Amino acid sequence: MQVSPLSAWWKVSILVSGVIVLGLTWLAMIFALIWRDYPPLKSKQLDILCVALIASTCWWIGIVFSFGTFEGIPFFSSCVFWDVWMQSVFGAQLYISTFSMRMLRLYYVLIRHKTPSEQPLRFYGTLGLFYLPSCILAILPIIWPGKLITVEPVLVPLVYACDFNIGYVAAFEVWLLIHISYLLYLNWKLSQIRKAFNEFRELQIALYAFIFLIFLEVVGYVLNFKDTTHGKIILSLMEAVTAVWLVLVPILPPIYGFIFDKEGYYETWRQGLLDEDLPKALKYDESSNAAVHTPIWTQSNGYTPNTPT
């Protein structure tokens, strides 16, 4: 196997750039959690976004360690742990699953006029259907060591390269594509409520970028592009940006509004609920007597805007 080790300069550059991107994202998330009673922030379902940020952090850490950033330490050379569990199960798959949960919540409440608690088996069963297969795939190399993943020493002792069975990689990537396709479907169904709760265009762009990233990874495995210096740099930077994009897009506008025009942004957000989003997505159906539910994450918990007297 031909593997190009990263120079010390590139190792430091990848580490520093990732720490800066993720660090700033965590600062934004902490700010949002502190002021979570602000309705435009609360409507973004911060609990789910926080889990997504944890998943994106695991994803990036797995990438950095799998690239041999910490050579000579056996624990950091574990292919199954860093490449499979951290990058996929606790990383990309969990990341996409959190957004599936976020979008599915909105779909239930705003389109189907039900809450997830009314159909818990269907709601959580749908989420499990997409997430559990990746866990099963991750267990297979543990059950059959050396069959799906082989570890080869390169350059010097205690420096290893992971060689994956191409069919095993394809299974992970195909299932991830199916999961992303479902998320694209939910995003399309929710396209009419994008101002108050959803970010249709931004999410669409991010998911297409995710698909392109999967394409690069597959090409990287087939052509050993991921083992070259340029391949490691490109993949690590793209994955770092993609990993935080879906978290930052929902929370940055309300954070900006909270800091610079708190009441004005709140009124604009509230008017969006009244004038555009809710009348289109939530209509009382007299024929079916369908009830309209108010999502709990949009309730203000006593937030009262300052009104001039």
Side-chain angles (χ1 to χ4, degrees), residues 126-138:
T126 302
L127 297 173
L129 177 66
F130 286 104
Y131 186 65
L132 289 180
S134 64
C135 298
I136 296 172
L137 286 171

Side-chain angles (χ1 to χ4, degrees), residues 72-105:
I73 304 176
F75 174 67
F76 292 139
S77 300
S78 173
C79 300
V80 174
F81 183 74
W82 297 112
D83 288 73
V84 178
W85 284 94
M86 285 294 282
Q87 282 195 57
S88 183
V89 178
F90 301 139
Q93 289 283 358
L94 179 59
Y95 183 70
I96 291 297
S97 294
T98 57
F99 284 96
S100 291
M101 185 175 186
R102 181 175 183 254
M103 304 298 285
L104 198 57
R105 265 187 185 180

Side-chain angles (χ1 to χ4, degrees):
M1 177 184 295
Q2 298 295 321
V3 178
S4 301
L6 289 171
S7 65
W9 189 90
W10 278 115
K11 288 179 184 179
V12 172
S13 299
I14 290 175
L15 280 172
V16 171
S17 60
V19 167
I20 290 174
V21 170
L22 284 167
L24 292 175
T25 307
W26 271 108
L27 287 176
M29 177 58 69
I30 291 170
F31 182 95
L33 290 173
I34 291 173
W35 299 103
R36 60 186 176 276
D37 287 338
Y38 185 55
L41 277 173
K42 190 169 186 178
S43 69
K44 301 305 180 181
Q45 304 181 67
L46 297 177
D47 54 341
I48 294 180
L49 292 180
C50 193
V51 175
L53 186 52
I54 293 172
S56 66
T57 303
C58 290
W59 186 15
W60 180 79
I61 290 174
I63 292 166
V64 171
F65 287 168
S66 69
F67 283 170
T69 306
F70 298 94
E71 296 171 349
I73 304 176
F75 174 67
F76 292 139
S77 300
S78 173
C79 300
V80 174
F81 183 74
W82 297 112
D83 288 73
V84 178
W85 284 94
M86 285 294 282
Q87 282 195 57
S88 183
V89 178
F90 301 139
Q93 289 283 358
L94 179 59
Y95 183 70
I96 291 297
S97 294
T98 57
F99 284 96
S100 291
M101 185 175 186
R102 181 175 183 254
M103 304 298 285
L104 198 57
R105 265 187 185 180
L106 293 173
Y107 176 75
Y108 265 66
V109 173
L110 301 177
I111 304 298
R112 300 190 65 217
H113 302 168
K114 296 180 181 295
T115 60
S117 61
E118 291 181 83
Q119 296 180 323
L121 184 61
R122 182 173 180 176
F123 179 79
Y124 291 106
T126 302
L127 297 173
L129 177 66
F130 286 104
Y131 186 65
L132 289 180
S134 64
C135 298
I136 296 172
L137 286 171
I139 293 173
L140 294 181
I142 301 174
I143 300 175
W144 294 311
K147 299 294 184 181
L148 301 174
I149 303 175
T150 56
V151 183
E152 300 180 11
V154 295
L155 301 177
V156 295
L158 289 181
V159 179
Y160 300 94
C162 305
D163 189 15
F164 290 84
N165 179 287
I166 189 62
Y168 183 64
V169 174
F172 261 113
E173 303 294 7
V174 167
W175 192 252
L176 189 58
L177 280 174
I178 293 173
H179 199 168
I180 292 173
S181 299
Y182 177 68
L183 192 52
L184 283 168
Y185 166 76
L186 289 178
N187 193 44
W188 171 72
K189 293 289 287 184
L190 292 165
S191 60
Q192 295 301 314
I193 61 164
R194 59 183 178 272
K195 277 193 176 181
F197 298 106
N198 190 22
E199 301 76 29
F200 173 76
R201 185 177 302 169
E202 294 84 355
L203 183 58
Q204 198 91 340
I205 293 171
L207 292 174
Y208 287 144
F210 216 119
I211 293 173
F212 178 70
L213 188 56
I214 292 174
F215 171 77
L216 282 184
E217 287 186 341
V218 172
V219 171
Y221 280 110
V222 174
L223 302 179
N224 288 329
F225 174 69
K226 70 179 184 64
D227 295 319
T228 66
T229 298
H230 290 94
K232 291 177 179 179
I233 294 167
I234 292 172
L235 287 173
S236 64
L237 293 178
M238 281 195 63
E239 289 178 357
V241 173
T242 304
V244 300
W245 176 269
L246 292 179
V247 177
L248 285 176
V249 163
I251 64 175
L252 281 184
I255 287 177
Y256 180 88
F258 181 89
I259 295 173
F260 295 103
D261 188 12
K262 183 178 179 180
E263 308 309 332
Y265 186 88
Y266 170 76
E267 284 302 319
T268 301
W269 176 84
R270 189 178 67 86
Q271 196 62 42
L273 294 179
L274 299 174
D275 292 346
E276 181 174 355
D277 298 314
L278 293 181
K280 289 183 179 180
L282 293 177
K283 293 182 179 180
Y284 185 80
D285 188 348
E286 293 183 352
S287 60
S288 63
N289 197 31
V292 175
H293 299 275
T294 301
I296 190 170
W297 59 87
T298 68
Q299 296 173 6
S300 62
N301 284 353
Y303 173 81
T304 304
N306 297 324
T307 55
T309 58

